[in-house]
Amino acid sequence: MKVVKFGGSSLASSTQLNKVLAIVKSDEQRKIVVVSAPGKRNPDDEKVTDLLIEYADAYLANLEYQEIQAQIIQRYEAIAFELNLGDAIIEDIRQAILNLAEETELSQDAARVMDRFKASGENNNAKLVATFFQKNGLKARYMSPQEAGMIVSDEPGNALILPSSYDELFKLRATEEVLVIPGFFGYTEKGEICTFSRGGSDITGSIIAAGIHADLYENFTDVDAIYAAHPGLVKNPHKIKELTFREMRELSYAGFGVFHDEALIPAFRGGIEVVIKNTNNPSAPGTRILLDRQPGDEAVIGIAGDSGFAIFYMSKYLMNREIGFGRKVLEILEDESLNYEHMPSGIDDISIIVREHQLSTDVENRLIDRFKKELQVDEIHVNHNLSMIAIVGEGMKSNVGTAAKSTHALSAAGVNLEMINQGSSEVSILFGIKSCHEDIAIQALYEEFFKK
Ligand code: ASP
């Protein structure tokens, strides 16, 4: 049994939906179909989820929302009309979108209201897709996440699946019909809608695949494969045929957006293979994400980069002899509810790397004050606008010289290194550099590992 997830661009128009139908029909094992909301039809288009966020914002701010409401309805209408789905489904969706404003009380918690609006994008689309499948000879039906048993934590916009859901989801294995389930949200134990983080339909698919012990989780998107580097930076980048969950996690961390990084965990824990495929070219083999693989001669399989990091640099004479220094640093970060990403240290100095979006000027100044007063550091300064570049590959363990080759390539490209970090798993090496050098750094590393 396979779980198949289709992303927004695969569901944005009637042409795309016909491709989806052909894919589902071509393999009887494709019994569970998870859908996103309609995405962009072209690069200038808007995703339905973004329109729903605009609708919710206008509604919450007591502003006019009729125009945006009509725009959302029109997106579904256009698809349903072209596919000849009849009036009933169009009316059903139209009413659901109007009801979002009409049946929601303004006094309610804004985050909850927002989630209800956002979730309707996937929910209406699942109903539309199920109707389309039925009209085209598939034994299919819409199933709500509540009926499926997707029970999530009560964290609007950032929900997590509750472990108790998995037993309930297992029952879906018995289905004779193709079940079309909306991605991106579940229900809390109290029956409230809660969405996962953005892009979260990948997470739904992964959870259901783990729940039903699927043989495969197929994630259909609009690229033939995961590329070794961003195609916007490198011409015709090498396609990755297979990679491990660990490698994928490292690449997503550093900016690969093809598959949501939270979606890796359920499939990994459930031991379910994932394949990323292209709705527009389904015969291409895609990229497989495996539990394990035997690396070939290559040390590096992918290069990624992400901006938006800052470094706090601190030094203190005899830091290495001060027992409890590291604990105090971590306590301050915990106290300020800050995540840190890396903490490389020298003999008398330590750097703390954080994602910049967590730092307001207030938070930054308070941290500097606390580090000065509570840790009595001799020197402290903060560097902004940093990027992390990751070179990733299970083959690094067995290949000598990967760090040397990369630092050589970076220095030849004139890129100054602010930090180097190699995790003990030896699956990746991270370089902290100034964001203005991000593109040339990735190009230089690609040249080194894939062209030479
Ligand atoms: N529609 C949601 C979003 O745009 C979820 C998804 O597509 O996976 O974030």
Side-chain angles (χ1 to χ4, degrees):
M1 207 169 178
K2 295 175 184 168
V3 172
V4 204
K5 181 257 168 181
F6 292 96
S9 61
S10 305
L11 301 160
S13 66
S14 56
T15 319
Q16 292 303 83
L17 274 168
N18 277 312
K19 295 178 191 166
V20 166
L21 174 70
I23 292 169
V24 175
K25 272 191 161 175
S26 68
D27 185 343
E28 280 213 336
Q29 287 191 303
R30 293 178 173 142
K31 272 286 188 296
I32 298 196
V33 176
V34 174
V35 298
S36 284
K40 294 183 181 194
R41 292 161 291 187
N42 55 62
D44 301 323
D45 201 12
E46 279 196 270
K47 285 173 143 201
V48 164
T49 309
D50 291 323
L51 296 174
L52 285 161
I53 293 172
E54 280 175 50
Y55 176 18
D57 281 338
Y59 170 74
L60 286 164
N62 238 325
L63 297 170
E64 277 277 310
Y65 51 72
Q66 277 72 14
E67 207 173 295
I68 188 87
Q69 225 178 23
Q71 220 180 318
I72 298 166
I73 295 171
Q74 205 275 329
R75 290 289 291 269
Y76 291 100
E77 259 174 11
I79 302 173
F81 181 75
E82 281 170 30
L83 295 172
N84 246 325
L85 299 188
D87 292 341
I89 181 72
I90 299 181
E91 192 42 39
D92 192 19
I93 293 177
R94 201 177 75 85
Q95 207 49 57
I97 292 163
L98 296 178
N99 284 350
L100 285 170
E102 275 158 26
E103 292 185 350
T104 304
E105 295 197 5
L106 253 182
S107 56
Q108 286 183 19
D109 179 39
R112 270 194 203 298
V113 172
M114 179 56 85
D115 266 20
R116 216 170 298 147
F117 277 60
K118 283 195 302 195
S120 75
E122 289 26 45
N123 203 43
N124 289 321
N125 214 23
K127 289 183 179 166
L128 187 149
V129 171
T131 308
F132 172 56
F133 283 180
Q134 286 156 4
K135 294 224 178 227
N136 286 279
L138 264 183
K139 252 179 85 192
R141 79 171 172 104
Y142 156 85
M143 181 181 263
S144 86
Q146 197 164 30
E147 188 188 344
M150 293 280 290
I151 309 301
V152 298
S153 64
D154 194 358
E155 294 169 273
N158 206 18
L160 293 172
I161 190 76
L162 298 189
S164 56
S165 301
Y166 285 104
D167 287 344
E168 207 48 46
L169 290 167
F170 184 70
K171 298 182 186 153
L172 302 180
R173 257 195 100 83
T175 185
E176 304 258 298
E177 304 159 293
V178 172
L179 301 177
V180 184
I181 304 179
F184 192 37
F185 70 99
Y187 285 78
T188 65
E189 280 171 323
K190 287 197 180 135
E192 301 268 7
I193 286 177
C194 250
T195 69
F196 297 117
S197 52
R198 287 298 305 270
S201 299
D202 285 350
I203 307 176
T204 304
S206 180
I207 290 167
I208 297 179
I212 67 159
H213 302 182
D215 297 296
L216 186 63
Y217 171 27
E218 296 177 307
N219 195 289
F220 278 87
T221 167
D222 52 8
V223 286
D224 273 353
I226 295 176
Y227 296 105
H230 196 290
L233 293 176
V234 169
K235 216 167 146 213
N236 292 329
H238 171 84
K239 290 184 185 122
I240 304 177
K241 281 206 189 81
E242 45 180 55
L243 75 177
T244 63
F245 280 90
R246 253 189 339 179
E247 289 172 320
M248 188 66 217
R249 162 81 179 122
E250 301 275 345
L251 288 170
S252 324
Y253 171 83
F256 269 36
V258 184
F259 190 60
H260 197 303
D261 56 355
E262 276 181 54
L264 290 166
I265 300 138
F268 173 71
R269 294 212 176 119
I272 316 289
E273 254 182 45
V274 181
V275 60
I276 310 287
K277 286 179 75 84
N278 190 354
T279 303
N280 306 315
N281 185 16
S283 57
T287 298
R288 294 183 95 83
I289 310 177
L290 313 170
L291 293 171
D292 204 5
R293 74 178 182 96
Q294 220 38 55
D297 291 340
E298 79 294 338
V300 175
I301 58 133
I303 301 162
D306 200 12
S307 56
F309 292 86
I311 299 192
F312 286 79
Y313 169 86
M314 291 183 267
S315 70
K316 183 176 181 185
Y317 185 55
L318 291 182
M319 187 188 283
N320 69 324
R321 296 188 47 181
E322 184 173 328
I323 288 173
F325 187 90
R327 177 183 50 77
K328 287 182 211 149
V329 172
L330 294 177
E331 261 173 13
I332 294 175
L333 294 177
E334 188 175 353
D335 223 32
E336 299 288 338
S337 302
L338 283 175
N339 279 321
Y340 75 92
E341 305 292 321
H342 312 278
M343 200 176 314
S345 61
I347 299 166
D348 283 344
D349 53 20
I350 191 163
S351 298
I352 303 154
I353 293 148
V354 296
R355 296 252 183 199
E356 231 158 4
H357 67 79
Q358 303 183 97
L359 292 180
S360 62
T361 319
D362 276 359
V363 173
E364 182 174 324
N365 290 339
R366 201 166 52 238
L367 273 176
I368 294 175
D369 269 4
R370 290 192 65 177
F371 287 143
K372 276 188 188 156
K373 283 199 195 101
E374 294 170 40
L375 303 176
Q376 300 279 308
V377 294
D378 300 322
E379 191 193 336
I380 176 162
H381 58 254
V382 188
N383 278 350
H384 289 278
N385 298 325
L386 292 173
S387 288
M388 289 294 151
I389 309 293
I391 56 167
V392 176
E394 298 273 358
M396 260 181 224
K397 283 192 278 286
S398 46
N399 274 287
V400 176
T402 313
K405 281 188 194 159
S406 8
T407 48
H408 181 260
L410 291 169
S411 82
V415 176
N416 183 39
L417 297 176
E418 311 273 331
M419 182 213 79
I420 306 180
N421 195 358
Q422 178 172 35
S424 6
S425 62
E426 280 191 73
V427 177
S428 74
I429 305 179
L430 285 166
F431 301 100
I433 61 168
K434 294 226 159 52
S435 290
C436 57
H437 290 145
E438 186 179 319
D439 293 358
I440 52 165
I442 293 176
Q443 285 154 349
L445 290 166
Y446 187 83
E447 188 70 32
E448 178 65 43
F449 289 105
F450 291 90
K451 292 257 183 87
K452 276 191 180 167

